[in-house]
Amino acid sequence: MTEVAPRPGQLLVSSVLLTEGIFSRSVVLVLDSDADGALGVIVNEIAQTRLEAVLPDWVDAVTEPRLLFSGGPVSPNGAICLASVARSGEEPPGWRRLFDDIGLLHLDTPIEIVSGAYADLRIFAGYAGWEPGQLQTEIANGMWHVVSSTYADVFGGRPHDLWRRVLRRQRNRLAFFSAYTDEAEHN
């Protein structure tokens, strides 16, 4: 059986098997996936550090809820900024397309250039990463479900219930897991 790696723009939704740790009930947006491994950011976890404490100039530029997100356990002191261009087809300075109109924005980009160039911005502390073959093994072992993303999954204002909402909209057995509780006897 040939295992296919998830594509940039797809979501990794943690299965109910991941009951502890940072990936419990997490939704990860895949940013890159190739023979060298995979990386993404957790899109439904708010960081404990306040955005204004680390990047005060960016607070007014980011999308509601204007918070720093915890992107994952790798390089938690670093930051990744996802941005959606305001006008499709444009490529503003400091921005690199990943998929659709969403890309990475360098946080060294002057904030004056950023204003008005992007429809939405979100900043993540750290990221999630997998060595070559590791993610495919985890998917094969039932730890992750690979599903399509929507724009609201990336930039929506309700990150805390994203895990359930993504599962609920699936048109297969995954939708049943959206009602899963932490008490096994209630499932």
Side-chain angles (χ1 to χ4, degrees):
M1 173 174 126
T2 305
E3 294 180 21
V4 178
R7 295 180 316 277
Q10 289 186 305
L11 296 176
L12 302 173
V13 181
S14 66
S15 80
V16 295
L17 299 176
L18 289 171
T19 59
E20 296 179 13
I22 193 165
F23 292 118
S24 176
R25 305 271 171 108
S26 67
V27 179
V28 177
L29 177 68
V30 177
L31 303 179
D32 191 21
S33 181
D34 57 26
D36 295 327
L39 67 91
V41 289
I42 301 171
V43 292
N44 66 327
E45 184 69 32
I46 305 298
Q48 292 181 357
T49 303
R50 296 177 50 91
L51 182 59
E52 47 276 330
V54 290
L55 293 165
D57 294 341
W58 288 81
V59 173
D60 291 334
V62 299
T63 302
E64 292 288 342
R66 295 200 196 304
L67 299 169
L68 180 65
F69 282 69
S70 178
V74 182
S75 297
N77 294 327
I80 291 176
C81 180
L82 288 180
S84 172
V85 291
R87 287 167 291 287
S88 187
E90 287 192 4
E91 294 198 15
W95 182 81
R96 180 176 61 91
R97 181 181 313 279
L98 292 174
F99 56 91
D100 302 330
D101 285 330
I102 298 173
L104 294 173
L105 176 62
H106 290 277
L107 289 168
D108 293 339
T109 305
I111 197 71
E112 300 80 28
I113 294 174
V114 171
S115 297
Y118 300 96
D120 288 294
L121 290 163
R122 188 145 285 166
I123 299 175
F124 301 86
Y127 64 93
W130 292 266
E131 295 180 1
Q134 180 184 4
L135 180 56
Q136 289 86 341
T137 300
E138 290 180 11
I139 292 168
N141 289 334
M143 297 171 71
W144 297 102
H145 307 291
V146 180
V147 301
S148 297
S149 67
T150 68
Y151 188 86
D153 296 337
V154 181
F155 295 112
R158 296 177 24 223
H160 294 299
D161 66 350
L162 185 61
W163 184 81
R164 288 190 190 286
R165 284 187 290 121
V166 169
L167 287 172
R168 191 173 300 123
R169 74 172 182 243
Q170 302 309 306
R171 303 249 183 237
N172 55 31
R173 65 176 180 78
L174 291 181
F176 292 108
F177 290 115
S178 68
Y180 194 82
T181 68
D182 291 331
E183 294 83 28
E185 64 274 4
H186 293 125
N187 291 311

